[in-house]
Structures are given as C-alpha cells and as structure tokens.
Amino acid sequence: MRKISLLLAFIFGTLGLVGGSVATRKPQTASAQPSAPANHQKKDHRWISGVWEPPAGLKQIPIWPQGAPDMEGVPRRSERIEIAQTPDALEGRTSEAAWDVTSPTMTIFPPKGGNTGAAIIVFPGGGFKAVVVTKQGTEICGWITSKGITCILSKYRVPKSNHHWDSECKCAVTPKVLRALQDAQRTIRLVRAKAKELAIDPKRIGVMGFSAGGYLVAQTSNIFQPVYKPIDAIDNISSRPDFAIAFYPGHLCRSDATLDPGIRVTKNTPPTFLLQAWDDPVDDICNSTLYARALDGAGVPTEVHLFAKGGHAFGLRKSEHPVVAAWPPLVENWLAEIGAIER
C-alpha cells in the first residue's frame, strides 16, 4: 500500500484546486492536505483573504446564532480562498476552496423547475484542511437542483476539525472535539427546522458527501446524539438524515483494514448509496467495502457501485472513464427507488 507522498502535488493537481482529501493508501486512512506555504505561488493559483461568497443571488446563513461552539484554544486565522484556473469547470474557468473556516455556514440552492419537496445537504471534501466549495459543492448543487431537489451547501469548520492526517507528527489524528461533525449535525437540524420555510418535506432530507465529506455522511448516519452542548430548541430536532449518499469516502478504513470504531451501524442507519473507483489513489477502496459490509450486516438498504477506473475527486467534470456519466442517473434512480423523489 502506498503511504502519503502525494500531498502538494495532489492539492494543486486533481481538483484543478484542492481536489478532495489527500489520503494514505494504507488502511489507516486520513486525508492529508497540508496547509499551503505562505510563500507558495503557482501560475494557475492565487489566494485571497476573505470569506467565500456563494454564487450571485444566494446567501450564506450562519448555522450558530452566537458563533460556533468549542472554539477555545483554536487559532482564529482569517478565512482565505484558494482560486485555481480550471478550464474543465462546469461554470466559468475557476474553482475555489475555503481554508481556515471558523464561522460555518449553509447556503440554500432552491430547486429549478418543479419542487419535489426533497432536500440534500452537500458536504464537500478537502481532507478537513479545506472545503472544496466549487468542484464538490456548487457544481454538485447545480445538478441536484436541476432535478427539483433543494440543495444545501455546508461550509464546515476546518482545519483539524475531524479525523485527519497531521503533517507535523506524520500520523492520523482524531481531535477530542469533532467540530466538523458538530457543524454537520447542526446543519441537518437547522434545515429540518426550516422545512416549511424552504418548502421541503422534513422526512425527505438527505446528505451527500465527497471524500472527507463522505466521512461526515457516515458519521451523521450513525451518530444521532449531539456531539456538542445543545444551545436552543433546534437541537431537540433529529439530526438523522433520511437517506445518505457517499462518494469515494475517506477516514472509515483504519488499521488492519477495520472500520472506524466510532461508526456503529444499526438498523436505524438510513438507506445508503455508496460509489467509488477501484483505482482511487487517495482513499482506499476498503473505505467503501468495509462500510458496505457493516451496512449489510445491520440490514440497512444499500446500493453500492464500485467502478474499475475513475480515480478520486471526479465530481461531475468530464472524464475519460464512464463513472462521471454513469453516477447521476444511478443516484436519481436510487432516490426514486427509496421514495425520496417520484419517478
């Protein structure tokens, strides 16, 4: 198995910007994108200081009314945006990723055309170092909304906000406070609390995640008790998603090819859709196969697609492999099959 050696080459390559989590190919999976050096300059990349802004006409909503919890001792760096030239982007020619996020938000993308009443919360990847808001966020929401589904883009706290690869100790680290999971749980509760306002069915709210975001999908699918101290009535609302979709998830496959012990799959785990390429150079295929076996063992309705080729962090962008063209109809048909949308 390959150890982490991809690091900056992957950050400034796969995405055309931070492509998703850079992870070890051995079972001790942890996304590993190091912070970019302050003096790093690349011809097709630039950095700006400031808060990421959603597409025109959309508004970010803070998910914590009085600021995010458990931030004592966390360095308060200003949020910054990495912008890369990506001619293959679905809209425009650039892609963005948010770094040093301390004020988590959600952005609502209304459905286009008819409203199915379903909603999907999207957790982008980024190795819990950054949040890949274009390739695994806004572009994905564009497809979701085209199907009449409300999309909610989560910009959760990073870095070191969940299980990750630490470049200083060269080891996988699980922090005592899982701040990204706190944000994910809160976002699900907040969306459900706003169901009437958003014209969605509170019993048809799902999650979709990519790479590190796929790990958040697994966590929110199995950890229902708040991992933070409740702050208001919204935290009495269930954070269990009604369905779950994980693309090339990371962090699940640990030492000796065992499932993350924090993921305890039960019959209450929601119906799940898993998809990954077998040749993924970042997150080992065991992340999907181990989780699939656990889902099967608990009797959870699950659909699994493992493609021979496709690599990592493909999203919806043009690819020489069939996985990109194949997954949207597979997901749409599965959503209809489980009753989340009508055929």
Side-chain angles (χ1 to χ4, degrees):
M1 292 290 185
R2 190 183 313 169
K3 291 187 178 181
I4 294 183
S5 59
L6 307 173
L7 301 186
L8 283 174
F10 188 84
I11 282 188
F12 297 105
T14 299
L15 152 107
L17 175 72
V18 188
S21 59
V22 177
T24 161
R25 283 283 293 170
K26 58 186 179 179
Q28 183 66 26
T29 301
S31 299
Q33 289 167 332
S35 297
N39 62 352
H40 181 88
Q41 285 293 332
K42 203 166 167 129
K43 196 172 182 181
D44 58 349
H45 283 252
R46 63 189 176 95
W47 296 78
I48 60 173
S49 295
V51 176
W52 172 78
E53 292 294 336
L58 302 177
K59 183 181 179 182
Q60 289 189 85
I61 303 170
I63 62 172
W64 303 100
Q66 304 299 326
D70 298 316
M71 292 297 287
E72 299 80 7
V74 176
R76 294 296 189 114
R77 301 184 183 93
S78 297
E79 187 172 319
R80 55 200 173 113
I81 310 302
E82 182 187 6
I83 304 174
Q85 294 296 318
T86 52
D88 62 340
L90 300 190
E91 294 185 4
R93 297 180 62 84
T94 61
S95 298
E96 298 180 349
W99 294 68
D100 298 317
V101 177
T102 56
S103 298
T105 64
M106 66 181 193
T107 302
I108 311 295
F109 291 69
K112 298 171 185 174
N115 181 6
T116 65
I120 296 178
I121 298 165
V122 171
F123 302 124
F128 299 115
K129 302 284 184 179
V131 181
V132 182
V133 287
T134 302
K135 188 176 185 181
Q136 298 175 14
T138 59
E139 292 183 355
I140 303 301
C141 281
W143 175 79
I144 289 172
T145 57
S146 74
K147 302 302 175 182
I149 302 169
T150 299
C151 185
I152 300 91
L153 176 57
S154 169
K155 188 181 75 174
Y156 50 85
R157 280 173 284 176
V158 290
K160 300 181 180 181
S161 54
N162 210 326
H163 181 264
H164 64 279
W165 178 263
D166 190 299
S167 57
E168 293 181 2
C169 70
K170 299 189 185 307
C171 62
V173 175
T174 300
K176 291 182 179 179
V177 180
L178 304 178
R179 295 179 179 87
L181 178 56
Q182 290 180 338
D183 297 341
Q185 287 186 332
R186 176 71 182 184
T187 299
I188 297 169
R189 292 186 170 102
L190 190 56
V191 170
R192 192 161 272 134
K194 291 177 172 288
K196 187 174 181 180
E197 174 187 336
L198 298 175
I200 60 176
D201 183 345
K203 295 182 179 179
R204 287 190 288 147
I205 297 172
V207 290
M208 177 185 288
F210 299 79
S211 197
Y215 184 54
L216 285 174
V217 165
Q219 287 182 312
T220 55
S221 294
N222 295 283
I223 302 171
F224 306 137
Q225 291 300 313
V227 292
Y228 57 90
K229 184 178 179 180
I231 61 168
D232 56 26
I234 289 172
D235 291 323
N236 294 322
I237 298 173
S238 172
S239 67
R240 177 189 178 275
D242 297 302
F243 54 90
I245 303 166
F247 291 86
Y248 38 87
H251 309 273
L252 290 165
C253 183
R254 302 294 175 88
S255 297
D256 301 320
T258 56
L259 184 66
D260 169 18
I263 302 297
R264 298 179 177 88
V265 181
T266 70
K267 63 181 181 180
N268 292 323
T269 302
T272 299
F273 181 102
L274 294 173
L275 186 143
Q276 190 169 6
W278 205 274
D279 68 345
D280 191 326
V282 176
D283 289 320
D284 197 286
I285 197 70
C286 65
N287 285 280
S288 288
T289 56
L290 281 176
Y291 191 43
R293 289 191 193 109
L295 291 162
D296 179 57
V300 177
T302 304
E303 184 162 313
V304 182
H305 296 275
L306 303 177
F307 286 77
K309 294 184 180 295
H312 187 75
F314 39 79
L316 280 164
R317 293 187 184 176
K318 201 173 290 186
S319 170
E320 62 180 316
H321 304 298
V323 59
V324 172
W327 79 250
L330 288 173
V331 170
E332 186 176 4
N333 289 335
W334 177 77
L335 289 171
E337 189 75 16
I338 65 171
I341 61 174
E342 293 183 1
R343 290 188 184 279

PDB file of all heavy atoms in Angstrom, residues 134-153:
ATOM      1  N   THR A 134     -16.310  24.512  -4.879  1.00  0.00           N
ATOM      2  CA  THR A 134     -16.769  24.542  -6.273  1.00  0.00           C
ATOM      3  C   THR A 134     -16.979  23.136  -6.808  1.00  0.00           C
ATOM      4  O   THR A 134     -18.103  22.712  -7.069  1.00  0.00           O
ATOM      5  CB  THR A 134     -15.776  25.305  -7.171  1.00  0.00           C
ATOM      6  OG1 THR A 134     -15.606  26.639  -6.670  1.00  0.00           O
ATOM      7  CG2 THR A 134     -16.296  25.378  -8.606  1.00  0.00           C
ATOM      8  N   LYS A 135     -15.900  22.373  -6.966  1.00  0.00           N
ATOM      9  CA  LYS A 135     -15.979  21.067  -7.623  1.00  0.00           C
ATOM     10  C   LYS A 135     -16.872  20.084  -6.884  1.00  0.00           C
ATOM     11  O   LYS A 135     -17.557  19.267  -7.498  1.00  0.00           O
ATOM     12  CB  LYS A 135     -14.572  20.482  -7.785  1.00  0.00           C
ATOM     13  CG  LYS A 135     -14.538  19.223  -8.639  1.00  0.00           C
ATOM     14  CD  LYS A 135     -13.110  18.755  -8.847  1.00  0.00           C
ATOM     15  CE  LYS A 135     -13.048  17.578  -9.793  1.00  0.00           C
ATOM     16  NZ  LYS A 135     -11.665  17.090  -9.994  1.00  0.00           N
ATOM     17  N   GLN A 136     -16.867  20.148  -5.553  1.00  0.00           N
ATOM     18  CA  GLN A 136     -17.651  19.212  -4.758  1.00  0.00           C
ATOM     19  C   GLN A 136     -18.729  19.938  -3.953  1.00  0.00           C
ATOM     20  O   GLN A 136     -19.188  19.450  -2.923  1.00  0.00           O
ATOM     21  CB  GLN A 136     -16.722  18.407  -3.829  1.00  0.00           C
ATOM     22  CG  GLN A 136     -15.721  17.587  -4.626  1.00  0.00           C
ATOM     23  CD  GLN A 136     -14.706  16.873  -3.763  1.00  0.00           C
ATOM     24  OE1 GLN A 136     -14.859  16.762  -2.558  1.00  0.00           O
ATOM     25  NE2 GLN A 136     -13.645  16.371  -4.376  1.00  0.00           N
ATOM     26  N   GLY A 137     -19.114  21.105  -4.464  1.00  0.00           N
ATOM     27  CA  GLY A 137     -20.129  21.906  -3.785  1.00  0.00           C
ATOM     28  C   GLY A 137     -21.106  22.542  -4.748  1.00  0.00           C
ATOM     29  O   GLY A 137     -22.145  21.973  -5.062  1.00  0.00           O
ATOM     30  N   THR A 138     -20.765  23.711  -5.264  1.00  0.00           N
ATOM     31  CA  THR A 138     -21.714  24.438  -6.112  1.00  0.00           C
ATOM     32  C   THR A 138     -22.045  23.675  -7.389  1.00  0.00           C
ATOM     33  O   THR A 138     -23.186  23.704  -7.857  1.00  0.00           O
ATOM     34  CB  THR A 138     -21.168  25.836  -6.465  1.00  0.00           C
ATOM     35  OG1 THR A 138     -19.917  25.711  -7.151  1.00  0.00           O
ATOM     36  CG2 THR A 138     -20.955  26.672  -5.205  1.00  0.00           C
ATOM     37  N   GLU A 139     -21.039  22.987  -7.969  1.00  0.00           N
ATOM     38  CA  GLU A 139     -21.319  22.221  -9.182  1.00  0.00           C
ATOM     39  C   GLU A 139     -22.267  21.063  -8.900  1.00  0.00           C
ATOM     40  O   GLU A 139     -23.138  20.739  -9.721  1.00  0.00           O
ATOM     41  CB  GLU A 139     -20.010  21.707  -9.794  1.00  0.00           C
ATOM     42  CG  GLU A 139     -19.143  22.819 -10.361  1.00  0.00           C
ATOM     43  CD  GLU A 139     -17.872  22.328 -11.034  1.00  0.00           C
ATOM     44  OE1 GLU A 139     -17.588  21.106 -10.983  1.00  0.00           O
ATOM     45  OE2 GLU A 139     -17.153  23.166 -11.615  1.00  0.00           O
ATOM     46  N   ILE A 140     -22.112  20.443  -7.756  1.00  0.00           N
ATOM     47  CA  ILE A 140     -22.994  19.337  -7.369  1.00  0.00           C
ATOM     48  C   ILE A 140     -24.403  19.870  -7.114  1.00  0.00           C
ATOM     49  O   ILE A 140     -25.397  19.257  -7.526  1.00  0.00           O
ATOM     50  CB  ILE A 140     -22.444  18.623  -6.125  1.00  0.00           C
ATOM     51  CG1 ILE A 140     -21.017  18.108  -6.373  1.00  0.00           C
ATOM     52  CG2 ILE A 140     -23.377  17.503  -5.697  1.00  0.00           C
ATOM     53  CD1 ILE A 140     -20.887  17.137  -7.530  1.00  0.00           C
ATOM     54  N   CYS A 141     -24.488  21.010  -6.435  1.00  0.00           N
ATOM     55  CA  CYS A 141     -25.809  21.599  -6.178  1.00  0.00           C
ATOM     56  C   CYS A 141     -26.510  21.965  -7.484  1.00  0.00           C
ATOM     57  O   CYS A 141     -27.744  21.895  -7.580  1.00  0.00           O
ATOM     58  CB  CYS A 141     -25.679  22.833  -5.283  1.00  0.00           C
ATOM     59  SG  CYS A 141     -25.465  22.428  -3.520  1.00  0.00           S
ATOM     60  N   GLY A 142     -25.739  22.336  -8.499  1.00  0.00           N
ATOM     61  CA  GLY A 142     -26.348  22.633  -9.784  1.00  0.00           C
ATOM     62  C   GLY A 142     -27.082  21.430 -10.354  1.00  0.00           C
ATOM     63  O   GLY A 142     -28.196  21.563 -10.886  1.00  0.00           O
ATOM     64  N   TRP A 143     -26.471  20.260 -10.233  1.00  0.00           N
ATOM     65  CA  TRP A 143     -27.139  19.047 -10.720  1.00  0.00           C
ATOM     66  C   TRP A 143     -28.338  18.695  -9.839  1.00  0.00           C
ATOM     67  O   TRP A 143     -29.413  18.367 -10.336  1.00  0.00           O
ATOM     68  CB  TRP A 143     -26.158  17.867 -10.753  1.00  0.00           C
ATOM     69  CG  TRP A 143     -26.848  16.591 -11.140  1.00  0.00           C
ATOM     70  CD1 TRP A 143     -27.199  16.217 -12.410  1.00  0.00           C
ATOM     71  CD2 TRP A 143     -27.334  15.571 -10.264  1.00  0.00           C
ATOM     72  NE1 TRP A 143     -27.854  15.009 -12.381  1.00  0.00           N
ATOM     73  CE2 TRP A 143     -27.951  14.586 -11.077  1.00  0.00           C
ATOM     74  CE3 TRP A 143     -27.294  15.377  -8.885  1.00  0.00           C
ATOM     75  CZ2 TRP A 143     -28.533  13.433 -10.542  1.00  0.00           C
ATOM     76  CZ3 TRP A 143     -27.864  14.222  -8.349  1.00  0.00           C
ATOM     77  CH2 TRP A 143     -28.481  13.276  -9.176  1.00  0.00           C
ATOM     78  N   ILE A 144     -28.170  18.774  -8.525  1.00  0.00           N
ATOM     79  CA  ILE A 144     -29.242  18.420  -7.595  1.00  0.00           C
ATOM     80  C   ILE A 144     -30.480  19.283  -7.843  1.00  0.00           C
ATOM     81  O   ILE A 144     -31.603  18.776  -7.945  1.00  0.00           O
ATOM     82  CB  ILE A 144     -28.753  18.562  -6.139  1.00  0.00           C
ATOM     83  CG1 ILE A 144     -27.740  17.455  -5.816  1.00  0.00           C
ATOM     84  CG2 ILE A 144     -29.920  18.517  -5.148  1.00  0.00           C
ATOM     85  CD1 ILE A 144     -27.042  17.616  -4.477  1.00  0.00           C
ATOM     86  N   THR A 145     -30.286  20.590  -7.952  1.00  0.00           N
ATOM     87  CA  THR A 145     -31.436  21.487  -8.135  1.00  0.00           C
ATOM     88  C   THR A 145     -32.108  21.289  -9.486  1.00  0.00           C
ATOM     89  O   THR A 145     -33.308  21.532  -9.635  1.00  0.00           O
ATOM     90  CB  THR A 145     -31.027  22.955  -7.957  1.00  0.00           C
ATOM     91  OG1 THR A 145     -29.967  23.274  -8.876  1.00  0.00           O
ATOM     92  CG2 THR A 145     -30.556  23.227  -6.529  1.00  0.00           C
ATOM     93  N   SER A 146     -31.329  20.835 -10.483  1.00  0.00           N
ATOM     94  CA  SER A 146     -31.922  20.580 -11.798  1.00  0.00           C
ATOM     95  C   SER A 146     -32.919  19.428 -11.755  1.00  0.00           C
ATOM     96  O   SER A 146     -33.735  19.280 -12.671  1.00  0.00           O
ATOM     97  CB  SER A 146     -30.826  20.274 -12.830  1.00  0.00           C
ATOM     98  OG  SER A 146     -30.288  18.973 -12.638  1.00  0.00           O
ATOM     99  N   LYS A 147     -32.875  18.644 -10.680  1.00  0.00           N
ATOM    100  CA  LYS A 147     -33.797  17.529 -10.505  1.00  0.00           C
ATOM    101  C   LYS A 147     -34.968  17.902  -9.590  1.00  0.00           C
ATOM    102  O   LYS A 147     -35.722  17.033  -9.132  1.00  0.00           O
ATOM    103  CB  LYS A 147     -33.059  16.312  -9.928  1.00  0.00           C
ATOM    104  CG  LYS A 147     -31.901  15.847 -10.806  1.00  0.00           C
ATOM    105  CD  LYS A 147     -32.352  15.496 -12.210  1.00  0.00           C
ATOM    106  CE  LYS A 147     -31.211  15.140 -13.138  1.00  0.00           C
ATOM    107  NZ  LYS A 147     -31.670  14.838 -14.515  1.00  0.00           N
ATOM    108  N   GLY A 148     -35.123  19.190  -9.320  1.00  0.00           N
ATOM    109  CA  GLY A 148     -36.230  19.643  -8.483  1.00  0.00           C
ATOM    110  C   GLY A 148     -36.016  19.412  -7.007  1.00  0.00           C
ATOM    111  O   GLY A 148     -36.964  19.392  -6.219  1.00  0.00           O
ATOM    112  N   ILE A 149     -34.749  19.260  -6.607  1.00  0.00           N
ATOM    113  CA  ILE A 149     -34.400  18.991  -5.214  1.00  0.00           C
ATOM    114  C   ILE A 149     -33.674  20.206  -4.642  1.00  0.00           C
ATOM    115  O   ILE A 149     -32.773  20.761  -5.282  1.00  0.00           O
ATOM    116  CB  ILE A 149     -33.483  17.749  -5.108  1.00  0.00           C
ATOM    117  CG1 ILE A 149     -34.175  16.524  -5.722  1.00  0.00           C
ATOM    118  CG2 ILE A 149     -33.084  17.475  -3.668  1.00  0.00           C
ATOM    119  CD1 ILE A 149     -33.251  15.328  -5.907  1.00  0.00           C
ATOM    120  N   THR A 150     -34.072  20.636  -3.452  1.00  0.00           N
ATOM    121  CA  THR A 150     -33.368  21.731  -2.787  1.00  0.00           C
ATOM    122  C   THR A 150     -31.995  21.252  -2.352  1.00  0.00           C
ATOM    123  O   THR A 150     -31.854  20.161  -1.793  1.00  0.00           O
ATOM    124  CB  THR A 150     -34.160  22.217  -1.560  1.00  0.00           C
ATOM    125  OG1 THR A 150     -35.436  22.702  -1.991  1.00  0.00           O
ATOM    126  CG2 THR A 150     -33.419  23.329  -0.831  1.00  0.00           C
ATOM    127  N   CYS A 151     -30.971  22.051  -2.619  1.00  0.00           N
ATOM    128  CA  CYS A 151     -29.603  21.697  -2.213  1.00  0.00           C
ATOM    129  C   CYS A 151     -29.118  22.674  -1.155  1.00  0.00           C
ATOM    130  O   CYS A 151     -29.335  23.888  -1.269  1.00  0.00           O
ATOM    131  CB  CYS A 151     -28.659  21.728  -3.416  1.00  0.00           C
ATOM    132  SG  CYS A 151     -26.976  21.167  -3.024  1.00  0.00           S
ATOM    133  N   ILE A 152     -28.497  22.145  -0.135  1.00  0.00           N
ATOM    134  CA  ILE A 152     -27.920  22.965   0.929  1.00  0.00           C
ATOM    135  C   ILE A 152     -26.432  22.679   0.976  1.00  0.00           C
ATOM    136  O   ILE A 152     -26.022  21.540   1.244  1.00  0.00           O
ATOM    137  CB  ILE A 152     -28.564  22.667   2.300  1.00  0.00           C
ATOM    138  CG1 ILE A 152     -30.074  22.937   2.264  1.00  0.00           C
ATOM    139  CG2 ILE A 152     -27.906  23.493   3.394  1.00  0.00           C
ATOM    140  CD1 ILE A 152     -30.910  21.726   1.890  1.00  0.00           C
ATOM    141  N   LEU A 153     -25.623  23.678   0.701  1.00  0.00           N
ATOM    142  CA  LEU A 153     -24.175  23.516   0.695  1.00  0.00           C
ATOM    143  C   LEU A 153     -23.611  23.863   2.069  1.00  0.00           C
ATOM    144  O   LEU A 153     -23.783  24.980   2.560  1.00  0.00           O
ATOM    145  CB  LEU A 153     -23.545  24.403  -0.377  1.00  0.00           C
ATOM    146  CG  LEU A 153     -22.014  24.432  -0.449  1.00  0.00           C
ATOM    147  CD1 LEU A 153     -21.440  23.041  -0.637  1.00  0.00           C
ATOM    148  CD2 LEU A 153     -21.565  25.362  -1.571  1.00  0.00           C
TER     149      LEU A 153
END
